[in-house]
Amino acid sequence: MVKWVSSILLKLSLMLSLALVALANSGDFHLFYFVQQWLGSYCDQHAEKCCYPPSGKPPADFSIEGLWPYFNDGSFPYNCGGGNFNEALLKPMQDSLRREWPSFTCPQIGRKFWVHEWNKHGTCSKTVLGEVAYFQAALNLKNKVRLLQALGNAGIRPNNQLYSLKAVKEAIARGTGFHPWVVCNKNSQGISQIWQVAMCVDRTGTRLINCPFVPKGQGDCKSQIKFPAFY
């Protein structure tokens, strides 16, 4: 009896796993999160793994972290497969990707970062955006969502000072017209600092929208957060 029940449970678990995989591959996601990150905070957290791209230290700005599809319950699909990465297709936008979507890991992984993002996230939106459209959408959004400018207009600058989380969110909302989701990490002294900023985007990857939910598994910020200098 115990073996029979265990067998049934195993089959049900397998069926559920297959159903979830099918859902992830269906492209039936609700929206995108367009995520940018701040190099100063990344390097504070990963000092031994922080390297500049081959082109050298980039200008002070937020850079693209990813364009991630989400379901309407706050969970997200990943590694949906069926979308082989073709680097040749991205050649016309390669300079823009190197500038706006660089990798800061050591050793430098360069294009592998784009491959990773496409395989993990892009393949789950391929029914809406093909490879070229996916990366172009992220670049277009970067030009639209100017975080450093929005923060600077409110007197919030990367000067190692503490700012209220509320003020940071309000500044970005004023500058973009939409409320952000701010993710923090901690530096070596345990101080909460601005790391990633996510904006919600519709399924076409072109239009900013108000976020209907908080993404699962994201880090919390303290009421006062540091804006570290750009390394």
Side-chain angles (χ1 to χ4, degrees):
M1 180 66 177
V2 174
K3 289 184 178 180
W4 179 80
V5 171
S6 297
S7 176
I8 292 296
L9 290 175
L10 181 61
K11 289 179 180 179
L12 288 174
S13 177
L14 178 60
M15 289 173 64
L16 178 59
S17 297
L18 291 174
L20 289 174
V21 169
L23 178 61
N25 281 282
S26 70
D28 188 25
F29 61 99
H30 187 67
L31 53 80
F32 285 104
Y33 263 91
F34 175 60
V35 186
Q36 297 185 63
Q37 71 169 339
W38 182 249
L39 175 60
S41 299
Y42 175 85
C43 291
D44 269 354
Q45 188 179 43
H46 305 282
E48 73 285 358
K49 299 179 181 179
C50 179
C51 289
Y52 296 147
S55 56
K57 182 178 179 179
D61 198 2
F62 285 82
S63 62
I64 298 173
E65 172 72 8
L67 183 61
W68 304 338
Y70 268 78
F71 294 128
N72 59 9
D73 64 351
S75 64
F76 61 94
Y78 59 93
N79 297 335
C80 297
N84 294 332
F85 184 83
N86 185 347
E87 185 178 8
L89 295 176
L90 302 182
K91 191 169 183 179
M93 65 179 78
Q94 199 167 66
D95 289 343
S96 295
L97 287 171
R98 287 171 177 161
R99 181 176 62 254
E100 307 292 358
W101 202 336
S103 162
F104 299 123
T105 60
C106 300
Q108 267 294 317
I109 59 175
R111 61 176 288 278
K112 292 182 180 179
F113 185 27
W114 307 332
V115 176
H116 166 78
E117 288 297 310
W118 170 252
N119 288 339
K120 183 173 182 179
H121 301 288
T123 55
C124 299
S125 62
K126 63 183 180 292
T127 57
V128 179
L129 297 176
E131 180 183 328
V132 173
Y134 175 79
F135 285 96
Q136 189 61 60
L139 291 174
N140 292 343
L141 289 166
K142 176 64 168 58
N143 288 330
K144 182 181 295 186
V145 183
R146 299 181 179 276
L147 298 177
L148 193 61
Q149 180 178 325
L151 291 168
N153 289 341
I156 300 173
R157 298 181 174 86
N159 52 11
N160 293 322
Q161 299 300 309
L162 293 176
Y163 297 95
S164 76
L165 175 61
K166 181 180 179 182
V168 168
K169 289 183 175 180
E170 288 178 347
I172 295 173
R174 281 196 301 271
T176 65
F178 296 90
H179 292 283
W181 174 247
V182 178
V183 179
C184 295
N185 63 11
K186 293 181 180 179
N187 64 12
S188 57
Q189 288 78 44
I191 298 173
S192 178
Q193 56 187 9
I194 184 173
W195 174 29
Q196 297 175 337
V197 176
M199 307 293 295
C200 287
V201 182
D202 70 355
R203 278 173 51 89
T204 69
T206 60
R207 186 173 62 88
L208 291 173
I209 60 175
N210 288 315
C211 296
F213 51 77
V214 174
K216 295 180 178 179
Q218 299 295 326
D220 292 332
C221 297
K222 301 297 184 181
S223 60
Q224 295 286 318
I225 57 176
K226 182 180 178 181
F227 196 2
F230 196 80
Y231 277 47

